Amino acid sequence: MALTSPTNGLSDERLRVADEAPGFMPLDEALALHEAATSYLSQPDSVGIGVEIGTYCGKSTVFLGAAAEAHGALVVTVDHHRGSEEHQPGWEYHDTELVDSHSGLLDTAARFRRTMYDAGLESTVLGLLAPSTAAARVWGREVDFVFIDGGHSMEAAQNDYDGWSGWVRAGGALLIHDVFPDPNDGGRPPYEIYRQALDSGRFTEQSAHGSLRVLRRIR
């Protein structure tokens, strides 16, 4: 797959912006994410909206936004911007440059806005600053896809799945990141909700790209 083309929205500049944004998604998985978003947003019954749960600084959001822009669609990305468990002080992925001096807490909102500004996606990507559970309570319409890449505790992953998987339209997609069947490779909660989706009978696996799983809603 070509990294850039006149139609896929992934300019060299956007790839540079995504590369420089703090985050944890490898390029091959990000490109697969873009391809999946493009596929579902371009279907005849598309509703023109995709949702991302877990924004961080917007690395993966660039790829989703590029797909949406190319099809006149929107991406809503949901995050409280205080970081997940692994981003807190004393944990492996804590980044002191993202700590707000006023509150003393992690705050990734400004870095996310910078990423969207630099990528030219401020009119395509709508940032919803809220916990996933709170945002799910006020959501009210079907979407073409939901991409779950939020907190990796079992409680957080379960809340994301319970709150958002039901909004995927029939024929749409549930995308889950950091799915590791072997527990030696990574945490289990994303794998657990992936299994729940398959066992529910509502979703069937369409493809796998590294730790990214693409599930199509069948009923």
Side-chain angles (χ1 to χ4, degrees):
M1 169 177 157
L3 296 189
T4 63
S5 81
T7 58
N8 71 7
L10 282 178
S11 64
D12 290 335
E13 176 63 11
R14 282 182 175 164
L15 290 170
R16 181 193 65 78
V17 169
D19 181 61
E20 293 179 356
F24 313 99
M25 175 167 276
L27 179 59
D28 61 331
E29 294 182 7
L31 291 171
L33 180 68
H34 175 271
E35 184 175 18
T38 297
S39 174
Y40 286 95
L41 290 170
S42 63
Q43 290 179 352
D45 53 352
S46 167
V47 298
I49 298 176
V51 169
E52 175 182 47
I53 307 299
T55 313
Y56 197 53
C57 297
K59 181 185 289 289
S60 57
T61 320
V62 172
F63 293 86
L64 295 174
E69 182 191 67
H71 292 89
L74 298 173
V75 168
V76 177
T77 183
V78 180
D79 201 308
H80 49 60
H81 285 285
R82 294 300 190 192
S84 302
E85 297 82 358
E86 65 271 19
H87 303 140
Q88 304 309 316
W91 288 68
E92 181 179 1
Y93 295 108
H94 180 63
D95 186 343
T96 57
E97 293 186 0
L98 297 174
V99 173
D100 172 29
S101 60
H102 176 72
S103 65
L105 301 174
L106 196 77
D107 189 346
T108 56
R111 187 60 179 85
F112 157 67
R113 292 198 67 173
R114 171 181 156 182
T115 302
M116 294 304 99
Y117 173 82
D118 289 347
L121 290 170
E122 289 186 306
S123 296
T124 299
V125 173
L126 311 181
L128 182 48
L129 201 161
S132 165
T133 49
R137 290 177 62 186
V138 300
W139 195 261
R141 60 176 301 167
E142 290 187 331
V143 299
D144 293 310
F145 65 82
V146 169
F147 172 47
I148 296 180
D149 192 20
H152 285 11
S153 69
M154 193 63 231
E155 180 182 10
Q158 191 69 59
N159 285 340
D160 292 344
Y161 176 75
D162 291 344
W164 291 94
S165 64
W167 293 113
V168 176
R169 64 170 173 81
L174 177 64
L175 315 172
I176 306 176
H177 193 224
D178 292 330
V179 174
F180 297 107
D182 185 341
N184 293 317
D185 294 333
R188 298 298 284 173
Y191 176 77
E192 295 296 337
I193 63 169
Y194 154 78
R195 286 302 325 169
Q196 288 180 41
L198 293 178
D199 294 343
S200 73
R202 296 184 299 158
F203 296 93
T204 184
E205 185 165 336
Q206 183 178 43
S207 59
H209 311 272
S211 70
L212 176 67
R213 297 296 184 273
V214 179
L215 310 180
R216 182 172 61 86
R217 182 158 187 177
I218 54 178
R219 66 172 179 83

